[in-house]
Amino acid sequence: MIDADHLARIPARTEDGLLNAFIECPKGNTHKIDLDKKLGIFRWAIELPEGLTFPANFGFIPATLAEDGDALDVMVLSGGALPSGTLVAVRPVAILRLEQEENGKMVRNDRVVGVPPLSQTFGHVHKLADLRDTMMWELGVFFRSYNQLIDRKVELLDPGDEQEAAELAEMAIAAKDIANG
């Protein structure tokens, strides 16, 4: 089981300073899957339309608090799907910036884009400029389509670079520390 007590013991960073990414939805998945922290299981949330799949592994950084009140979202770029429940160390290389409608108002819900250093496909990526030209656009198109599916307004903003991604992670770690007292 992976309940709130277990998650509380997972630090945001590894011993060597990388970010821990907890995977909920594997790359290529056609279903949105969420971790139910109370029950300690994965819960099916929604089926995506035919032809729409997660373009990267999707999850969150444990021990963080983002502006939307949840843990900081992360998109993990790798050559294949990582199973739900996998913990993978990543280096932040970009931010997918977006605003989405929550309770009638637009709020930021950015996603850190990270790469596992040992990935054969993306391990060479250290910064936003190292990604292929269309990568951030592709991630954005997915989230625009996903939000349309659940009838939620979304606005894609310009992506952030690796420095801004690292700063966003630090702010989310500090916010969680403050919230925990």
Side-chain angles (χ1 to χ4, degrees), residues 61 64-73 95-100 102-103 105-112 157 167-176:
I61 308 296
T64 60
L65 185 61
E67 194 170 324
D68 68 347
D70 293 328
L72 182 60
D73 291 329
I95 302 173
L96 179 64
R97 289 190 174 127
L98 57 87
E99 289 183 338
Q100 66 188 37
E102 295 287 339
N103 301 318
K105 63 180 183 175
M106 297 299 281
V107 298
R108 289 292 289 270
N109 193 359
D110 298 338
R111 284 103 166 102
V112 167
L157 308 173
E167 290 169 5
L168 178 63
E170 286 307 313
M171 289 179 1
I173 292 167
K176 182 68 171 186

Side-chain angles (χ1 to χ4, degrees), residues 5-99:
D5 291 336
H6 288 97
L7 281 175
R9 293 194 301 262
I10 302 173
R13 292 200 173 280
T14 64
E15 290 181 7
D16 57 356
L18 296 172
L19 294 173
N20 276 317
F22 185 91
I23 304 302
E24 289 179 300
C25 295
K27 176 182 179 177
N29 214 34
T30 59
H31 300 271
K32 172 73 166 84
I33 300 168
D34 294 320
L35 177 63
D36 185 319
K37 295 172 183 121
K38 289 182 182 175
L39 295 177
I41 59 171
F42 290 97
R43 184 180 292 274
W44 180 88
I46 193 169
E47 182 175 56
L48 303 178
E50 190 73 28
L52 185 63
T53 65
F54 276 84
N57 300 286
F58 179 75
F60 59 89
I61 308 296
T64 60
L65 185 61
E67 194 170 324
D68 68 347
D70 293 328
L72 182 60
D73 291 329
V74 65
M75 302 292 298
V76 177
L77 304 178
S78 67
L82 297 170
S84 296
T86 299
L87 190 65
V88 59
V90 300
R91 100 177 124 246
V93 298
I95 302 173
L96 179 64
R97 289 190 174 127
L98 57 87
E99 289 183 338

Side-chain angles (χ1 to χ4, degrees), residues 109-122:
N109 193 359
D110 298 338
R111 284 103 166 102
V112 167
V113 177
V115 299
L118 297 180
S119 168
Q120 296 298 307
T121 308
F122 290 95

Side-chain angles (χ1 to χ4, degrees), residues 90-163:
V90 300
R91 100 177 124 246
V93 298
I95 302 173
L96 179 64
R97 289 190 174 127
L98 57 87
E99 289 183 338
Q100 66 188 37
E101 187 177 35
E102 295 287 339
N103 301 318
K105 63 180 183 175
M106 297 299 281
V107 298
R108 289 292 289 270
N109 193 359
D110 298 338
R111 284 103 166 102
V112 167
V113 177
V115 299
L118 297 180
S119 168
Q120 296 298 307
T121 308
F122 290 95
H124 69 283
V125 174
H126 289 267
K127 58 188 181 210
L128 176 61
D130 294 339
L131 293 171
R132 72 174 184 271
D133 292 341
T134 61
M135 177 62 73
M136 297 303 288
W137 175 80
E138 291 168 19
L139 296 176
V141 166
F142 169 80
F143 279 103
R144 184 180 309 130
S145 298
Y146 173 80
N147 279 284
Q148 265 185 315
L149 174 67
I150 59 175
D151 200 27
R152 180 168 53 194
K153 293 178 188 173
V154 66
E155 182 178 340
L156 298 174
L157 308 173
D158 289 336
D161 65 17
E162 62 284 355
Q163 182 63 38

